[in-house]
């Protein structure tokens, strides 16, 4: 029997994000690249680049703080070891800090991420309140790369402690693959609003 407190560690966040692909019910089969050796070899032939533009944020704040934050967004890819970005020893992918602008910060930052196994990759957004001495995480989002749709999208943010949705808090982003057309993008997506 579990206690009444709900903890949300990294594994639980990835699990929750992965199962948004099927509405959180049933199970998801391993992708073909994990079941068949020949598919894995074909995949190794070429990587694709996911282009992510973090344009702006809305209602970025701490749940226990009323004043403005100085938001900065860190971006990370988890999944297959070859897709992990940044790789160990590399700098964190990060936007610029927008001082005293948690209500509607404008970032305008572009990142290019090489991904070999998009069916296993999770795109992680972490919003921090910047401080020279202590950066505190304010919100986060974990999105399966397979569920991303091309174009301008709103990415809803969640509380880092219990993964609860934060009312009206989101990032406005633009997503694009370097070698995909619209017919190759999943028509069913949680992140399609």
């Amino acid at each position: 029997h579990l206690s009444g407190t709900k903890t949300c560690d990294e594994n639980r966040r990835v699990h929750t994000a992965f199962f948004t692909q099927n509405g959180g019910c049933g199970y998801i089969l391993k992708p073909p690249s994990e079941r068949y050796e020949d598919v894995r070899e074909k995949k190794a032939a070429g990587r694709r680049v996911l282009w992510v533009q973090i344009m702006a944020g809305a209602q970025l704040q701490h749940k226990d703080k009323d004043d403005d934050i100085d938001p900065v967004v860190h971006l990370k890819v988890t999944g297959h070891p070859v897709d992990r970005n940044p790789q160990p020893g590399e700098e964190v992918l990060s936007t610029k800090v927008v001082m005293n602008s948690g209500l509607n910060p404008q970032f305008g930052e572009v990142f290019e991420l090489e991904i070999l196994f998009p069916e296993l990759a999770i795109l992680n957004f972490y919003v921090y309140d910047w401080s020279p001495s202590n950066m505190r995480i304010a919100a986060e989002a974990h999105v399966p790369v397979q569920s991303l749709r091309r174009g301008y999208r709103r990415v809803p943010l969640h509380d880092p402690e219990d993964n609860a949705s934060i009312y009206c808090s989101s990032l406005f982003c633009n997503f694009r693959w370097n070698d995909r057309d619209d017919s190759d993008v999943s028509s069913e997506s949680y992140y399609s609003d």
Side-chain angles (χ1 to χ4, degrees):
H1 177 55
L2 297 173
S3 66
T5 59
K6 202 166 54 165
T7 59
C8 195
D9 63 359
E10 187 70 23
N11 291 332
R12 182 180 171 119
R13 290 181 187 112
V14 168
H15 177 271
T16 302
F18 195 74
F19 281 90
T20 60
Q21 296 177 78
N22 69 349
C25 61
Y27 63 93
I28 298 174
L29 288 175
K30 284 184 180 180
S33 61
E34 290 297 300
R35 291 182 283 161
Y36 307 109
E37 188 67 34
D38 59 331
V39 174
R40 203 169 314 140
E41 290 170 6
K42 286 179 188 173
K43 283 247 182 209
R47 290 176 173 256
R48 298 188 300 181
V49 176
L50 175 62
W51 187 82
V52 179
Q53 181 181 22
I54 302 175
M55 299 173 68
Q59 302 291 328
L60 306 181
Q61 61 192 11
H62 286 291
K63 68 178 181 180
D64 57 345
K65 235 172 103 172
D66 288 334
D67 57 340
D68 262 347
I69 68 170
D70 303 329
V72 60
V73 180
H74 289 189
L75 191 62
K76 178 181 169 187
V77 176
T78 55
H80 195 280
V82 299
D83 289 336
R84 290 197 180 127
N85 202 335
Q87 292 290 334
E90 291 182 2
E91 281 188 41
V92 173
L93 301 173
S94 178
T95 65
K96 65 184 179 219
V97 177
V98 181
M99 302 302 284
N100 297 318
S101 184
L103 183 63
N104 188 23
Q106 305 296 309
F107 297 107
E109 302 276 340
V110 176
F111 302 95
E112 291 185 5
L113 307 166
E114 289 187 7
I115 297 179
L116 185 60
F117 296 96
E119 63 275 10
L120 299 174
I122 303 288
L123 187 59
N124 304 282
F125 297 89
Y126 299 97
V127 178
Y128 288 92
D129 182 5
W130 181 85
S131 167
S133 60
N134 181 25
M135 287 197 350
R136 286 184 40 202
I137 188 163
E140 62 187 14
H142 307 277
V143 183
V145 170
Q146 195 73 14
S147 294
L148 290 175
R149 292 184 63 198
R150 181 184 192 136
Y152 297 97
R153 303 286 172 218
R154 184 184 68 85
V155 178
L157 296 172
H158 301 273
D159 186 301
E161 292 178 17
D162 60 7
N163 205 32
S165 182
I166 302 173
Y167 181 71
C168 291
S169 185
S170 63
L171 293 172
F172 186 57
C173 301
N174 185 9
F175 301 103
R176 190 173 67 209
W177 287 100
N178 71 337
D179 63 349
R180 291 177 97 174
D181 61 13
D182 288 328
S183 64
D184 195 22
V185 177
S186 171
S187 61
E188 293 295 320
S189 175
Y190 179 74
Y191 301 93
S192 60
D193 53 316

